[in-house]
Amino acid sequence: MSATEKGKRKIPWTGILVLAVFMMIVIPVFSTSFYTVNYDQTALVFRFGTLHAVREAGSYSKVPFGVDRIARIPTGNPQIITLPVGRGDTGVYPYTSSEGLPVYVSMNVIYRITDPLAWYSAGGSQDLLIYAHIQDILVKKIAGMKIAELRDKKQGLSRLLLAGLLNDRTLAGWGIKADKTELLQIDIPLNDPAMVGADEKIIDLTVTTMLAAMKENYKKAYAGGSLNEDVMARIKEDGYPWE
Amino acid sequence: MGINRKILRISLAVGLAVLAVFYFIAVQYSFTQMEGTWVAFIRNDKIRKISATPGFKLIVPGEEVFNLPKTTLVAEVPPARYFVDGSAVMAGFLISWQLVDPQAYLETIVSVDKTDSMIIESVTDILRDRLVRGDGLSRDDFFALAGSLPGQLNDSRTVKDSGIHIESVMISDFSPAADDGGLENNASESNPLYGEKLRILRSVGRQWERDTN
C-alpha cells in the first residue's frame, strides 16, 4: 500500500461512536453491578434508600447506578472500646472514689454487633453513644466504692460491669451485646493535678491507702517467697518493719 | 447503505443527547432519600414539604433540599467545675438527642451545631442553678439530678420549641477538680505538704523495688 493510499483511508467514525456509546453504558453498569461481602461482615442492601435485603459473606449482584446501595457492617469481629479517653499530659481522666480521691481506672469493653440494622440506624454516633453509656455506668460504680475496695475487687468489678452491660437495654437498642470486660489498671494518680491540689485530708488518706497497699504487697511477696533473701531473713527474724 | 449509515449516526447522536439530558436531570434534579433521614423541600424560604419515607425523589427547579437525621445524635457538655459533697469536681456530660419535629426544628434551629450549643447552654443553666449555690449537692443527689436532666430539658420551652427530644444524659467525666494553685504537675512546688508525703511514698516504692529484685 502506497503512502497516498494510506492518507486517503477513511476513519471509521460510526464504529468509534458505537464503541464509545457501548463503553459509556457497559463500563458503569459493570462496575456498579457487583459487590462482595467479606467473611466478617453483614451487608445491608438499600434500594432507593429502603432496606431491600440483608446479605452474609459472598459475591452478589445489584441494581447499578446507585439504585442499590450497600452498607457493610462489621458483625464478625469483636469491637473494642477502651475507657476512659485521654486527657492532656496525664493521658487519662481520673474517676472519683467514694472518699473523693482521684483514681485511674482503665478498661476494655469488647462487644459484638448483633443487630446490623439497629447498629446502622444509630447513624454514625454508635461509638460515642456506647462510650458515653459505659462511662456513665463506670463513673457511678466507682463513685460508690473506696479505693481499697477498688484495688481488692479488681476482678469482681470487671464481672460486675460485664453483668451490668449484658442486661443493658440501651446497648441492645443500638444492636450490640457486650462480650467481655478487661480491667487494665486501677491506680492512684500521684501526679494528677487534682491530687497535687488536694487538701490535707485527701492527701493523708491517699498516703495511708498507698502505704496499706504496699504492706499488703510485702505480705504477699513474703508468703510467695519473691522478696530478696536478706529481706526474707530480716522479716523472719524481726517481723515486718512497720509492726 | 448510505441511508442506513446516516440513520445510524443520527440515532446515535440522538441517543447520546438523550443520555446527556437524562444524566443532567438525574444529577441536578433528583436524589435518593435514605433510611434514617427526613428531607425538607424548601422553596422561597418556605417549607413546601417534609418527606419521611425513603425513596427516589425529584426536585422542582428552584427548590432547596435539607437532609435531617432521624438517628440519635450526641452533644458534648465539656467538663466544668461544680461543688459536690463540699468539694470541687469537674463534671462533663454526653447527651443523646433525636429530632422529632423537623418542621419546628427548621423554623427554630436549622443546624446540628446550633442544637448542641442550645443543649449545652440549657444543661449548664440547670446545673449551675442547683450546684454552684452554697456547698452544692451530695454525690447521690448529683447523680439523681443528672438522671432527671432529660425530663427537665424535655419540659423546658427551649427544647420543646426546637422540635428535639433528649433521650439520655450520661456522665462522661466526674473527677476531683484541682485547686487553682495546684494545676502544675510539680507536686513539691505547688503543695509542700503533698510534696513531702509524695517523697515518702516514692522512697517506699524504691525500697520495694530493691527488696524484690
Side-chain angles (χ1 to χ4, degrees):
Chain A
M1 201 182 284
S2 70
T4 331
E5 276 173 322
K6 267 187 190 172
K8 282 181 180 175
R9 203 173 138 183
K10 274 191 166 180
I11 299 166
W13 287 114
T14 311
I16 291 171
L17 207 60
V18 169
L19 193 67
V21 172
F22 180 76
M23 283 170 77
M24 274 172 68
I25 295 168
V26 169
I27 291 175
V29 167
F30 238 80
S31 63
T32 58
S33 291
F34 302 98
Y35 65 99
T36 305
V37 183
N38 291 341
Y39 70 96
D40 56 353
Q41 296 173 329
T42 299
L44 302 174
V45 184
F46 293 95
R47 180 161 296 170
F48 285 125
T50 313
L51 183 69
H52 170 69
V54 178
R55 305 266 186 242
E56 298 301 331
S59 294
Y60 302 94
S61 61
K62 66 183 178 83
V63 182
F65 295 119
V67 173
D68 279 359
R69 294 186 190 193
I70 312 298
R72 292 177 175 81
I73 314 293
T75 46
N77 287 335
Q79 311 289 311
I80 298 179
I81 283 190
T82 302
L83 294 113
V85 291
R87 176 179 77 168
D89 298 335
T90 52
V92 283
Y93 276 113
Y95 296 91
T96 311
S97 71
S98 68
E99 308 103 319
L101 290 175
V103 50
Y104 284 168
V105 176
S106 60
M107 70 184 305
N108 284 335
V109 176
I110 296 144
Y111 66 90
R112 278 176 195 279
I113 300 166
T114 48
D115 181 344
L117 186 59
W119 168 261
Y120 177 83
S121 300
S125 304
Q126 303 95 332
D127 276 358
L128 193 54
L129 284 166
I130 295 161
Y131 164 78
H133 188 64
I134 298 170
Q135 178 78 337
D136 185 62
I137 295 174
L138 211 52
V139 162
K140 289 172 185 164
K141 282 264 186 278
I142 291 172
M145 296 173 87
K146 292 185 171 178
I147 286 213
E149 247 182 307
L150 281 165
R151 293 167 79 105
D152 288 349
K153 295 181 181 168
K154 209 170 167 182
Q155 290 311 316
L157 179 66
S158 191
R159 276 197 298 272
L160 194 71
L161 282 166
L162 180 62
L165 293 173
L166 283 173
N167 296 321
D168 197 288
R169 283 187 192 167
T170 314
L171 294 185
W174 294 325
I176 67 163
K177 190 177 179 193
D179 253 2
K180 200 176 165 190
T181 49
E182 291 173 346
L183 210 57
L184 305 172
Q185 181 200 21
I186 297 183
D187 266 324
I188 297 175
L190 291 179
N191 279 328
D192 190 84
M195 180 58 86
V196 176
D199 62 26
E200 194 176 344
K201 189 184 86 186
I202 296 289
I203 290 170
D204 279 342
L205 189 57
T206 309
V207 173
T208 314
T209 311
M210 292 210 71
L211 287 176
M214 191 57 83
K215 284 176 189 176
E216 216 34 58
N217 287 346
Y218 265 98
K219 281 186 180 171
K220 278 181 192 158
Y222 180 73
S226 58
L227 290 169
N228 291 341
E229 277 180 24
D230 57 325
V231 183
M232 294 284 282
R234 206 168 62 224
I235 292 175
K236 203 172 181 180
E237 287 283 311
D238 308 330
Y240 294 103
W242 54 82
E243 282 173 349
Chain B
M1 194 71 175
I3 294 167
N4 283 348
R5 280 199 169 189
K6 201 173 178 182
I7 290 170
L8 185 63
R9 278 181 199 169
I10 291 168
S11 314
L12 277 169
V14 169
L16 275 174
V18 168
L19 212 64
V21 169
F22 177 77
Y23 180 77
F24 181 74
I25 291 172
V27 170
Q28 291 287 317
Y29 296 108
S30 74
F31 67 97
T32 302
Q33 180 179 347
M34 292 299 288
E35 198 103 45
T37 58
W38 267 295
V39 171
F41 297 80
I42 313 246
R43 196 189 301 162
N44 299 328
D45 288 337
K46 282 184 184 159
I47 302 165
R48 188 178 67 83
K49 185 175 81 174
I50 290 174
S51 159
T53 47
F56 183 73
K57 308 278 155 114
L58 292 173
I59 310 167
V60 177
E63 214 166 46
E64 266 187 286
V65 168
F66 267 106
N67 267 302
L68 300 167
K70 276 184 187 173
T71 54
T72 302
L73 297 169
V74 181
E76 185 175 0
V77 181
R81 198 182 174 90
Y82 303 103
F83 279 97
V84 178
D85 275 343
S87 306
V89 296
M90 297 298 287
F93 302 87
L94 286 167
I95 294 169
S96 62
W97 61 275
Q98 258 190 327
L99 204 163
V100 287
D101 182 350
Q103 179 101 19
Y105 185 78
L106 281 172
E107 281 164 4
T108 54
I109 296 187
V110 180
S111 82
V112 169
D113 287 347
K114 282 185 185 165
T115 313
D116 285 357
S117 309
M118 183 272 285
I119 292 172
I120 292 167
E121 211 172 294
S122 306
V123 168
T124 314
D125 280 351
I126 295 172
L127 290 174
R128 286 218 180 278
D129 191 42
R130 292 284 306 276
L131 288 165
V132 174
R133 287 177 304 183
D135 278 350
L137 297 172
S138 72
R139 192 168 304 190
D140 288 346
D141 288 343
F142 177 81
F143 291 149
L145 175 62
S148 73
L149 278 173
Q152 291 197 53
L153 289 166
N154 286 326
D155 286 344
S156 74
R157 174 63 50 202
T158 327
V159 170
K160 266 185 188 166
D161 288 351
S162 60
I164 66 165
H165 176 76
I166 306 290
E167 285 183 335
S168 62
V169 174
M170 297 163 279
I171 301 173
S172 59
D173 180 27
F174 187 75
S175 46
D179 284 348
D180 291 342
L183 291 170
E184 293 297 322
N185 244 1
N186 186 332
S188 54
E189 277 176 26
S190 57
N191 187 338
L193 170 74
Y194 184 60
E196 181 55 35
K197 304 232 163 161
L198 192 60
R199 270 193 289 281
I200 297 171
L201 283 176
R202 288 205 171 122
S203 76
V204 172
R206 279 195 294 274
Q207 183 67 41
W208 165 258
E209 276 171 20
R210 279 199 297 274
D211 289 350
T212 49
N213 275 338

